[in-house]
Amino acid sequence: MDPTTAAARLVPGHVGPLVRALFVSAEDDPAAEVADDRPVPVARLVAFRGEKPALTDEDLERLAERLVAPAVPAEAALPLAGALARTLAALAASELDDWHAVRLRPGDFAQRMRAAVPDVEHALTDDGRALYRAVLDVLAVHILLFFTRRSDFVARTLPSETRRLAELAAGQDGSDGDGGGGEPVFREAVPDGVLPDGAVPDEEAPDDAFEAQYARDVTVLHNHLTIFGIDLAHSPDSWPLDAAYLGLQCERGQPETSGPPARERRDPGPQAPPVPAEQALSGLDRVLVRGVAGSGKTTLLQWLAVGTARDELPPALSAELSGRVPFLLPVRRFASHSGIPSPDGFLAAMGHPGAAGQPPGWAERVLRAGRGLLLVDGVDEAPEDDRERLRTRLREWTTRYPGNVWVVTSRPSAVPEDWLAPDGFTELRLAPMSREDVAAFIQRWHQAAAQQSPADLDRLGHYERTLLNAVRITRDLGRLATNPLMCGLLCALHRDRRGYLPSGRKELYDAGLSMLLERRDRERAMVPTDAIDLPRQPKIQLLQKLAHWMLVNGRSEMGRDVAVDTLARHLPAIPDAARQGDAEDVYRHLLNRTGLLRETTPGTVDFVHRTFQDYLAARATVQRHDFTLLLDHAHHTEWEDVIRMAVALARPDECAQLLNGLLAPHAGVKAAEARHRKLLAAACLEHATELDPEVRRRVQRFTRDMMRPTTPAGARALGWIGPIVLEMLPDPATATDAEAYLLALTATSIGDDMAIDYLTGLRERPHLDVRAQLASAWRKYDTERYAREIIAHLDDTELYFPVSDPQELHALRRLGGRPHLQIAGRFTPDQLIEGIVAERLTRLWLSYDLGVPMDWLTALPRLETLLIGSRLPRPTDIPEGIEVVEL
């Protein structure tokens, strides 16, 4: 490829953000406090040096690959990116400071960069060397321009150089192509926007201006979270994302092992401990994130969108996402925009207010330049028949627009395992909140409530302490508090009811509706502001009609006109509402005063969370005695929660009808779907308050033979049924080692302390896979009981014991320590030194970035091997004599 043509593709909007990622920001720069007074060495500005570099060598290589992606064909990109990465890395040893660098011509600065790594060009072809020099010339302009913009001293003392660099970068169109370090060739300056004859308009200027505004808009649109019931009388429903966001954790879909390192094993083995989402996402450009309702899937995408728009990303993500343009695409809105949109329709599908003002072809140009961050939210909210079309479109997009980053979310059972794996997607799962996460959420919730100076300020501390204790010791509450939505609801109800909490899921939802529909309206205004004052029950009845329409029509939102028409049809049957206003008035009242509905875009409405929609739809279906509707759709994954809630709401004879119907043959249902229906019947048993014992025995009889999983995926899938499955699993004493491992997977997928009793039957197994799986599940259960009944009995030969919090570490110390430990949570060196039995430890596996130098390892005299997780930055200051193994 002609070097001039290649360099011309490196437009400022692409190169500038990537160059900024090479250097520390002013806030993080140790030299920032003196930057206004004197020059700063270039070596101190780069982000890939020091004790805790923000960019690793791998990050630098990925950044170089992104840089050259628009400029060269795929086959030439890798060697060129490698050469650039080595050249950029040499800046860490540069003797120049920023002031003297800016005084150089860009061509001379590029020549100095090449001279620092003279052997780099030897591995390139003649064409490769020409490309390398052309691209480096472009980079030199933007690096020097960055120096002028980060330092007031440089800009003030070198005004002509600063102005000239800005003009060069703005008009840059490639290099002279001679490979000799000369100045790049630039577009002719055009006064007053008048184009010379035969010239084409420059699209970059309007694109840059629009992108700047778009980044601000993204922050405004998505920088908020709903935290239920912080202070319904005096506070807004949403809170700033950066203040309320609780770091989510992910598990790999194809997990690492919790036994010895993967290279020493023949199979992937038990799952590795969850890691922070930014660590799990680092280095991935195609990801499918699975998570249950309320687990934070949308929140994660909002956080990525806002962080990218602000260019305020954690170091693990900055190299990959800095400078990208985020598009947060909610799948539920596709149907109202003529199906899956094309790039020009992205903003409309997002509900972006400036959609009509985007420059023609802008989104297409962003994707073709490989600068997009595509956040596709909620595959499960597409009708089942449309999901394959969505997968086909994703395949087309990723093929047509290489270099972009894709993050797709879905509920776990909505699409098959490895649904997008053939298209290069890695699967992650949002992990249930750990005990520490739940405690942190409860504390943060009450701190936020206290900041509002509420009337019950003096009681909030007591509420916080009693709720923390209740969640820890009450099994039913512990089972409910597994995701941010449920934790928020528990906090709000606990406060609203002055320390009393319902014990079951149905009771929790009923209480939540009561709180949102009654306390909210009562406390926000002493008198109605819209001439409508509805009791709780009529509100619920009307909301049920909307939820039922969405259920029957397979939608997660509905048009405003459809909502009004639906209410109009049902108002005559609800006199309390009909006499207070027409359907339009009632719709506005439900929208503005219930806290359950929202207008996501002009003309469309949905529920604030899918959980409430499903629960209200189940209530409506049970009231209509429409169990045939439920049974006709029981094999569709999006109906699972509705059916489970319907069982909780139904009378005993209706429960029996539903469960018998799930077991019975059903026309048009495939064998795999029939199996799914039977498992759903088993999952429903725990929700049935009263049930004919014969029906219960029949369900157990039909499903008992299905409780012998044959694959790891099948074993984990049984976990969604809940604790009831423990009653149907076979006796582990009769299982082979391979079967015992699968049974351990199933039992440890059930986050309930009831599982411990079953797992005691597996604790004496010598097979490493079984022992490793039991060890890796510790964080899900009561620390002391699990340590006493499981951990203490596991043979420690070649077994790594994961510790995710100080309580687990001290429990191991009381057991005498272990020779192999896996650090799977946030610790300080002092905590580890205090908790580890140094006389026993010989191997230490880091699955979590401690973020500190490793010289503290001198306190562990018998330590022989340090293993580093594959996605962690390489630690520094490791004492001599310790072998480092990178996994």
Side-chain angles (χ1 to χ4, degrees), residues 67-84:
L67 179 71
V68 303
V72 297
E75 62 272 12
L78 196 59
L80 177 58
L84 284 173

Side-chain angles (χ1 to χ4, degrees), residues 411-650:
R411 287 193 187 186
S413 58
V415 294
E417 191 160 338
D418 296 331
W419 187 60
L420 293 175
D423 303 310
F425 279 75
T426 298
E427 287 203 5
L428 301 177
R429 294 186 299 270
L430 282 176
M433 295 172 71
S434 66
R435 297 184 301 276
E436 295 69 38
D437 292 335
V438 171
F441 185 100
I442 292 172
Q443 291 165 348
R444 187 177 298 185
W445 191 98
H446 286 85
Q447 290 167 4
Q451 291 172 5
Q452 306 306 307
S453 300
D456 60 350
L457 179 61
D458 59 327
R459 294 190 293 274
L460 282 175
H462 172 70
Y463 292 156
E464 178 184 331
R465 290 189 297 273
T466 56
L467 181 56
L468 284 169
N469 190 55
V471 169
R472 182 177 61 83
I473 66 176
T474 306
R475 184 173 66 87
D476 286 340
L477 288 182
R479 287 171 54 191
L480 290 173
T482 58
N483 62 60
L485 171 71
M486 300 305 291
C487 282
L489 195 54
L490 285 172
C491 290
L493 284 169
H494 185 258
R495 176 190 181 189
D496 187 52
R497 297 184 165 209
R498 297 178 181 269
Y500 166 76
L501 277 174
S503 58
R505 193 172 297 270
K506 171 186 175 295
E507 291 77 14
L508 181 68
Y509 293 149
D510 278 337
L513 289 174
S514 176
M515 178 189 69
L516 292 169
L517 297 178
E518 290 183 321
R519 180 188 168 193
R520 172 190 174 94
D521 198 47
R522 181 174 68 246
E523 295 189 0
R524 278 189 178 272
M526 295 303 295
V527 296
T529 59
D530 53 12
I532 293 180
D533 186 15
L534 288 178
R536 179 173 72 99
Q537 195 56 41
K539 289 179 185 175
I540 291 178
Q541 292 296 118
L542 291 167
L543 290 166
Q544 286 178 190
K545 309 305 180 187
L546 303 181
H548 186 265
W549 184 95
M550 293 183 187
L551 176 71
V552 171
N553 289 277
R555 298 283 296 278
S556 295
E557 68 175 15
M558 63 196 306
R560 188 180 190 279
D561 293 341
V562 175
V564 172
D565 288 345
T566 302
L567 294 174
R569 288 198 306 273
H570 294 284
L571 271 180
I574 306 176
D576 278 345
R579 64 169 171 261
Q580 297 194 47
D582 60 18
E584 182 68 40
D585 296 330
V586 172
Y587 169 78
R588 285 198 300 270
H589 177 80
L590 295 176
L591 177 67
N592 296 326
R593 304 295 294 281
T594 67
L596 286 171
L597 295 178
R598 61 185 177 185
E599 282 194 349
T600 51
T601 60
T604 59
V605 62
D606 69 358
F607 284 85
V608 293
H609 201 279
R610 179 68 179 265
T611 295
F612 290 116
Q613 176 190 325
D614 288 346
Y615 183 63
L616 288 167
R619 285 179 59 106
T621 306
V622 170
Q623 287 182 5
R624 295 161 66 103
H625 303 284
D626 200 354
F627 300 109
T628 300
L629 175 71
L630 296 177
L631 292 173
D632 285 344
H633 294 84
H635 51 287
H636 297 303
T637 55
E638 62 267 29
W639 288 66
E640 288 171 2
D641 286 345
V642 177
I643 291 171
R644 295 173 76 168
M645 293 177 190
V647 169
L649 292 161

Side-chain angles (χ1 to χ4, degrees), residues 784-818:
E784 293 300 326
R785 183 184 172 195
Y786 200 83
R788 182 175 63 252
E789 299 189 29
I790 304 296
I791 298 295
H793 298 268
L794 298 178
D795 178 4
D796 63 20
T797 305
E798 292 300 311
L799 177 63
Y800 287 80
F801 289 81
V803 288
S804 57
D805 60 56
Q807 289 73 31
E808 292 177 354
L809 189 62
H810 288 293
L812 275 184
R813 184 175 183 86
R814 287 191 291 274
L815 294 176
R818 292 295 186 269

Side-chain angles (χ1 to χ4, degrees), residues 69-70 74 285-286 324 366-372 396-406:
D285 59 1
R286 299 182 189 182
R324 290 190 179 274
V366 169
L367 297 187
R368 289 204 177 278
R371 296 196 298 118
E396 293 172 355
W397 279 344
T398 53
T399 301
R400 184 184 306 168
Y401 305 118
N404 296 286
V405 173
W406 308 79

Side-chain angles (χ1 to χ4, degrees), residues 650-727:
R651 296 178 300 187
D653 60 325
E654 295 168 338
C655 283
Q657 178 185 347
L658 262 175
L659 295 175
N660 283 326
L662 290 173
L663 299 177
H666 197 84
V669 172
K670 302 174 184 176
E673 294 171 338
R675 181 179 184 275
H676 179 88
R677 292 165 69 94
K678 292 180 175 64
L679 291 177
L680 180 57
C684 288
L685 288 180
E686 67 171 326
H687 300 288
T689 305
E690 181 180 350
L691 183 64
D692 182 346
E694 177 54 36
V695 176
R696 183 179 295 273
R697 285 192 292 270
R698 187 166 184 258
V699 172
Q700 293 175 337
R701 188 167 62 250
F702 264 76
T703 55
R704 190 175 301 279
D705 290 341
M706 303 169 66
M707 295 297 123
R708 286 186 177 271
T710 58
T711 65
R716 292 190 181 98
L718 288 178
W720 73 274
I721 295 178
I724 190 68
V725 77
L726 295 169
E727 302 174 17

Side-chain angles (χ1 to χ4, degrees), residues 94-113:
S94 174
E95 297 179 356
L96 282 173
D97 57 50
D98 56 354
W99 189 81
H100 285 92
V102 171
R103 291 191 66 192
L104 296 171
R105 292 164 56 87
D108 294 335
F109 181 65
Q111 174 60 36
R112 287 202 177 208
M113 293 172 69

